[in-house]
Amino acid sequence: MRPRAPGFRHSRFANRLRGFRARAVRPLSLKPQDVCVLLKIALLDRGPWSYGQLSLELGMSASEVHAGVKRAAHASLIRLDDGWGAPDVHALEEFLVHGLKYAFSPVRGGLTRGVPTAHAAPPLRGLFPAPPGPPLVWPDADGNVEGFGFSPLYKSVPFAAKRDPRLYELLALVDALRAGDCCEPARLRQTLRARLRPQRIEALARRPAVDATKGSKRGTHGKETRLHGRRH
């Protein structure tokens, strides 16, 4: 019987199979910046977007955004059609409320200058009683508020928040969930839900009341269309 070459513990086929299995089961784990990407896309309310556009507005590279969308799709937090799509708002909300503070727990620091977040930022400022002491801030050299350092989900969060006030509100809400010291968690979740799908809530408010005594016919206007068309 021919002796095996040094370093071969099994047959050549078995070694190839082991290598294939090692590559096949490699998981795609979410990263904190993926949440920032999902929140930005959610604010577009099923509108068109591009990786280049998200890259400029979030202060990330296009490859980072692309990888984040891929990981989010693997986690079933976004539905893609030919590379484009919109977040699954129900799944995203569930993850933000129940899993975010465990998956991406914040790092707190000492007093520093930065951008207010959590209860010190809109829309929570004035709606909820603020915890005692200085506010929570994202450390930022251009910040104008002194408070306790609170690590953002990603290093470019202060930059992205300054460019988009609505994204700033969502990121502050998310940080309030990460902080875990809100005295009214149910109201906090309700506020987050309203910011994640504002146009749907406005559409429901404008919908006329239905007379329960009259029958209704199902038409085609209520059907959902494709999330995104193919980008040309």
Side-chain angles (χ1 to χ4, degrees), residues 64-143:
E64 284 178 306
V65 175
H66 185 274
V69 170
K70 184 177 180 180
R71 288 188 293 266
H74 183 77
S76 300
L77 294 178
I78 187 172
R79 298 172 180 174
L80 296 179
D81 181 11
D82 293 333
W84 311 92
D88 183 330
V89 177
H90 294 286
L92 178 58
E93 180 186 327
E94 183 179 11
F95 173 68
L96 294 176
V97 171
H98 300 291
L100 186 70
K101 67 179 180 180
Y102 302 107
F104 308 126
S105 57
V107 176
R108 300 179 185 242
L111 287 174
T112 184
R113 299 191 67 80
V115 180
T117 186
H119 301 85
L124 298 182
R125 186 177 56 210
L127 293 180
F128 296 88
L136 299 177
V137 299
W138 298 318
D140 183 69
D142 298 325

Side-chain angles (χ1 to χ4, degrees), residues 41 44 46-55 62 65-66 69-70 73 78-88 225-232:
I41 297 176
L44 298 176
R46 299 176 181 262
W49 52 270
S50 69
Y51 292 102
Q53 169 199 356
L54 296 178
S55 169
V65 175
H66 185 274
V69 170
K70 184 177 180 180
I78 187 172
R79 298 172 180 174
L80 296 179
D81 181 11
D82 293 333
W84 311 92
D88 183 330
T225 56
R226 288 184 62 187
L227 297 182
H228 290 270
R230 189 187 297 272
R231 185 171 179 266
H232 298 286

Side-chain angles (χ1 to χ4, degrees), residues 1-223:
M1 181 177 178
R2 180 183 298 177
R4 292 195 179 102
F8 282 84
R9 298 180 55 188
H10 309 284
S11 68
R12 293 182 179 179
F13 174 78
N15 278 295
R16 287 198 298 269
L17 183 61
R18 290 176 66 195
F20 171 77
R21 287 174 177 170
R23 291 191 297 270
V25 299
R26 183 176 299 171
L28 291 175
S29 299
L30 279 176
K31 293 186 177 181
Q33 61 263 37
D34 305 345
V35 177
C36 303
V37 175
L38 287 171
L39 293 178
K40 183 65 178 181
I41 297 176
L43 287 173
L44 298 176
D45 199 46
R46 299 176 181 262
W49 52 270
S50 69
Y51 292 102
Q53 169 199 356
L54 296 178
S55 169
L56 291 174
E57 296 184 2
L58 292 173
M60 304 180 187
S61 67
S63 60
E64 284 178 306
V65 175
H66 185 274
V69 170
K70 184 177 180 180
R71 288 188 293 266
H74 183 77
S76 300
L77 294 178
I78 187 172
R79 298 172 180 174
L80 296 179
D81 181 11
D82 293 333
W84 311 92
D88 183 330
V89 177
H90 294 286
L92 178 58
E93 180 186 327
E94 183 179 11
F95 173 68
L96 294 176
V97 171
H98 300 291
L100 186 70
K101 67 179 180 180
Y102 302 107
F104 308 126
S105 57
V107 176
R108 300 179 185 242
L111 287 174
T112 184
R113 299 191 67 80
V115 180
T117 186
H119 301 85
L124 298 182
R125 186 177 56 210
L127 293 180
F128 296 88
L136 299 177
V137 299
W138 298 318
D140 183 69
D142 298 325
N144 55 5
V145 174
E146 186 176 58
F148 288 120
F150 190 92
S151 62
L153 284 169
Y154 193 64
K155 58 187 178 181
S156 65
V157 158
F159 166 83
K162 293 174 185 176
R163 290 177 61 93
D164 186 345
R166 294 172 63 210
L167 179 62
Y168 182 21
E169 291 184 352
L170 268 181
L171 290 167
L173 279 165
V174 165
D175 276 354
L177 291 169
R178 294 170 68 211
D181 53 6
C182 180
C183 60
E184 299 182 56
R187 190 180 175 194
L188 177 60
R189 291 192 293 269
Q190 184 180 8
T191 307
L192 173 67
R193 187 178 298 114
R195 292 303 190 283
L196 279 176
R197 34 193 170 186
Q199 293 191 14
R200 296 183 187 180
I201 292 177
E202 291 175 4
L204 288 174
R206 293 192 300 266
R207 182 179 299 175
V210 178
D211 189 345
T213 62
K214 297 181 180 180
S216 61
K217 295 182 180 181
R218 178 175 296 178
T220 59
H221 298 289
K223 291 184 179 180

